Amino acid sequence: MILSSSNNDSQKLNFIDSIQRLGISYHFEREIDEALEKIHNTVIGNNNISTEEGGLHRLALLFRLLRQKGYHISSDVFSKFKNNNGNFNEKLAKDVQGMWSLYEAAQLRVHGEDILDEALDFTYTHLKSLTHELSPSLAVQISHCLRQPLHKGVPRLEARHYMSFYEEDPSHSEVLLTFAKIDFNLLQKLHQKELGNIIKWWKESDFETKVPHARDRVVGAYFWPLAMSYEPRYSTGRRIVGKLVACICLLDDTYDAYGTVEELELFTQAIQRWDISPIQSLPECMKEVFNAVVELWDEIELVTAEDGKSSLVLQYVKQAFYNLARSYLVEAKWGHEGYIPTYDDYKVNGAESSSYPLQITCFVGLGEFSTKEVLDWISNDPPILKAVSLIGRLIDDTASHKFEAQRAHVASAVECCMKQYGISQEEAYKLILKEINDLWMVLNEECLKHDHIPKPVLDCILNVGRISDFAYDNFGDKFTNDELLKDYAFALLVDPISIKQHK
């Protein structure tokens, strides 16, 4: 159906978009790549861009799909839709589908693309004002995309969300929809087994008794690797990184809410040396946390040994573990001293304490693309890793700031921003949210820049930004507050999708 010569370019683009939104594109990567390459060469190469009816939707969809694949398509293609005054033509407001597609396309903008900045403002304003005039189904879809653009959405959640809308579309393909539902349910069974393995490990380790100061966030922890990639080939990575995020939670709570500075200095030495002897005199619960880290390390060694990559991967994971512990120690000292660093200093340490460099290093290290070149690139803190780590740190801080301020805790990005710039709390929020938007443009730029890095690795990093946006949106904290995560957990991990039986 993808390669069918009877379909015109617009039909192929819409079909590919549906495949991707339904979460089944991983089955058809080669066919999609071939189709997009052909369309790119015939449409963009020959400047065959039409402004006739349907032209805006077609062009915006083409732009988004090509940029997602790493093509350097220019945003100047949208200048055709501007009037003599240099503004977007107000007549476009009547083309809801075109406006919606342009809004989604503008999410992939990079710095300096003024036309996409304008497009984002133009489409958001008009779509927002139009929602009460649309059919209930379309109004719900538009409201969802304004709140959660596709580009920033967690792919697995967006697939589940999109299926119900796709089913209501009179032109939908029943074959495609049924295939997507079956695939979702089959993958859900696999994800249930992975999560079950992590829950069993957590309970058998008895962390609730042995480390009473730590949070039990096993289901929330699994959402991070599930967001990085839901495909079957990354099953081992999800299982290990799910345990890793749970261990990071143990580590974070030990530095944040339990150990003294002196104890934590010894604990950091133990992680640096990968040796328990410096902490023999410390409380048993801290030894349990250290042992949990070492046991996970042993499991990573066992898994990577099967591919002959253990010596390669483990050195990067060990260094990333130490970098994280060191950043936690810095925050613990700041909190103990009541010190509020500058916003700039806070961000340098905060990018590391987000734990994303460790999570990504481990997930990529366990995958098929764990070459020395890729792991070297990650360990050298490239701009894309720094950007996604800062997104995680800053959006987490805006969500948890008011709660953390009620107890003794290290200053968050909000206080540091207020101090450095001498501004109010509300002004600090605005500045931080603007920076998060700027960092998303860095992510977009970097995804277009690195031809030498496998696309799945870049997608994994991009997906970490997406899970951050989901977990901490609207100043909520779905990781800490189980109730906020509950419905999403049931949708992805408990409730299968109903499949109609056709006679």
Side-chain angles (χ1 to χ4, degrees):
M1 293 170 78
I2 299 169
L3 301 176
S4 171
S5 58
S6 63
N7 291 341
N8 61 36
D9 287 348
S10 292
Q11 288 173 324
K12 282 187 179 178
L13 290 171
N14 285 318
F15 193 67
I16 290 170
D17 183 42
S18 294
I19 289 173
Q20 292 182 346
R21 285 180 175 240
L22 290 167
I24 53 176
S25 60
Y26 71 96
H27 290 286
F28 312 105
E29 289 172 356
R30 180 178 58 81
E31 293 85 353
I32 290 172
D33 287 348
E34 288 177 4
L36 288 177
E37 182 179 12
K38 187 176 180 181
I39 293 171
H40 173 267
N41 293 340
T42 56
V43 176
I44 304 301
N46 298 326
N47 197 28
N48 183 24
I49 298 170
S50 169
T51 55
E52 62 194 22
E53 186 176 351
L56 177 58
H57 164 68
R58 171 175 170 265
L59 179 59
L61 180 57
L62 174 67
F63 179 90
R64 176 167 64 79
L65 293 179
L66 290 178
R67 277 232 170 157
Q68 284 172 183
K69 277 293 177 184
Y71 285 95
H72 293 258
I73 176 172
S74 172
S75 57
D76 290 341
V77 295
F78 295 112
S79 60
K80 295 173 179 284
F81 297 96
K82 286 193 162 190
N83 58 29
N84 294 332
N85 296 323
N87 301 316
F88 277 99
N89 197 322
E90 288 294 328
K91 291 181 181 178
L92 295 172
K94 297 177 182 178
D95 179 6
V96 176
Q97 186 182 39
M99 294 278 285
W100 183 5
S101 297
L102 180 57
Y103 173 79
E104 295 285 19
Q107 302 296 330
L108 283 89
R109 72 198 192 283
V110 301
H111 287 103
E113 291 191 309
D114 294 344
I115 192 168
L116 291 184
D117 291 336
E118 295 166 25
L120 197 60
D121 290 340
F122 178 78
T123 54
Y124 182 88
T125 301
H126 283 286
L127 288 171
K128 187 86 172 171
S129 65
L130 280 171
T131 49
H132 66 282
E133 301 174 15
L134 306 173
S135 67
S137 174
L138 186 57
V140 170
Q141 290 184 70
I142 296 293
S143 296
H144 175 77
C145 89
L146 294 179
R147 185 177 67 255
Q148 179 62 78
L150 178 65
H151 182 57
K152 294 182 179 179
V154 175
R156 199 73 185 140
L157 287 166
E158 290 302 308
R160 175 94 205 212
H161 186 81
Y162 179 68
M163 280 183 205
S164 59
F165 293 127
Y166 183 71
E167 192 164 17
E168 292 176 10
D169 184 346
S171 65
H172 80 264
S173 164
E174 196 63 40
V175 171
L176 193 63
L177 180 63
T178 304
F179 182 90
K181 288 181 175 181
I182 292 171
D183 189 70
F184 185 96
N185 291 345
L186 286 172
L187 281 182
Q188 188 182 70
K189 292 289 186 186
L190 175 63
H191 299 153
Q192 286 171 353
K193 287 180 182 176
E194 293 164 3
L195 178 57
N197 177 274
I198 298 167
I199 292 171
K200 182 181 177 184
W201 159 79
W202 181 269
K203 288 182 176 177
E204 288 179 350
S205 300
D206 197 19
F207 291 124
E208 191 174 340
T209 304
K210 295 177 179 177
V211 192
H213 62 268
R215 293 166 290 173
D216 176 355
R217 293 293 179 270
V218 178
V219 177
Y222 180 70
F223 260 69
W224 259 252
L226 181 60
M228 289 185 198
S229 180
Y230 57 84
E231 298 175 24
R233 59 181 171 171
Y234 297 107
S235 182
T236 299
R238 282 191 297 274
R239 183 172 54 79
I240 299 291
V241 174
K243 292 180 183 179
L244 173 66
V245 178
C247 278
I248 288 170
C249 199
L250 295 175
L251 207 64
D252 184 22
D253 290 343
T254 298
Y255 277 87
D256 187 34
Y258 183 80
T260 66
V261 170
E262 292 75 18
E263 289 172 339
L264 295 173
E265 284 178 333
L266 292 172
F267 194 88
T268 308
Q269 282 179 30
I271 289 181
Q272 181 182 20
R273 291 160 53 178
W274 222 249
D275 177 10
I276 199 169
S277 57
I279 61 171
Q280 291 292 0
S281 62
L282 298 191
E284 284 300 314
C285 60
M286 294 183 75
K287 294 178 192 174
E288 288 292 337
V289 174
F290 182 82
N291 286 331
V293 169
V294 172
E295 286 171 14
L296 183 62
W297 161 274
D298 291 339
E299 188 172 354
I300 295 170
E301 184 175 27
L302 195 65
V303 168
T304 52
E306 296 172 7
D307 299 325
K309 293 181 178 179
S310 59
S311 59
L312 172 68
V313 174
L314 290 173
Q315 60 177 311
Y316 294 97
V317 174
K318 182 184 282 189
Q319 183 61 48
F321 249 120
Y322 171 59
N323 292 345
L324 176 63
R326 187 175 55 189
S327 70
Y328 282 166
L329 179 62
V330 169
E331 290 185 350
K333 288 181 176 179
W334 285 345
H336 178 74
E337 297 164 5
Y339 174 67
I340 301 178
T342 65
Y343 183 54
D344 292 335
D345 286 345
Y346 177 83
K347 287 189 293 181
V348 171
N349 192 71
E352 201 67 60
S353 71
S354 71
S355 82
Y356 289 174
L358 171 57
Q359 291 183 48
I360 291 167
T361 299
C362 190
F363 192 84
V364 171
L366 291 163
E368 60 189 298
F369 301 105
S370 57
T371 62
K372 187 176 187 304
E373 180 190 20
V374 168
L375 291 169
D376 273 344
W377 175 72
I378 291 173
S379 68
N380 286 324
D381 198 23
I384 190 172
L385 182 60
K386 192 178 296 183
V388 81
S389 299
L390 267 180
I391 287 172
R393 179 74 280 152
L394 295 178
I395 199 168
D396 182 351
D397 281 8
T398 58
S400 60
H401 161 67
K402 290 178 181 176
F403 165 74
E404 301 289 12
Q406 295 171 7
R407 65 187 181 97
H409 192 269
V410 65
S412 75
V414 179
E415 284 100 350
C416 296
C417 188
M418 290 166 65
K419 177 187 176 183
Q420 178 165 332
Y421 298 110
I423 56 179
S424 69
Q425 181 174 294
E426 287 307 310
E427 289 171 321
Y429 276 128
K430 288 180 183 177
L431 189 150
I432 292 170
L433 293 176
K434 180 184 181 303
E435 179 156 9
I436 290 170
N437 284 328
D438 287 343
L439 289 166
W440 269 100
M441 285 193 272
V442 173
L443 293 186
N444 294 339
E445 288 166 355
E446 292 297 303
C447 284
L448 291 172
K449 191 183 294 182
H450 292 291
D451 297 338
H452 63 294
I453 300 299
K455 187 72 166 59
V457 174
L458 298 175
D459 287 342
C460 162
I461 297 173
L462 191 60
N463 283 336
V464 173
R466 289 165 170 156
I467 186 65
S468 299
D469 198 76
F470 160 75
Y472 303 111
D473 75 326
N474 199 29
F475 302 102
D477 183 349
K478 296 184 183 74
F479 183 74
T480 300
N481 188 343
D482 286 342
E483 279 301 309
L484 295 177
L485 189 65
K486 184 177 177 182
D487 290 345
Y488 300 98
F490 270 84
L492 294 195
L493 299 167
V494 179
D495 299 330
I497 295 177
S498 174
I499 300 174
K500 294 177 183 176
Q501 297 297 317
H502 296 279
K503 294 181 180 179

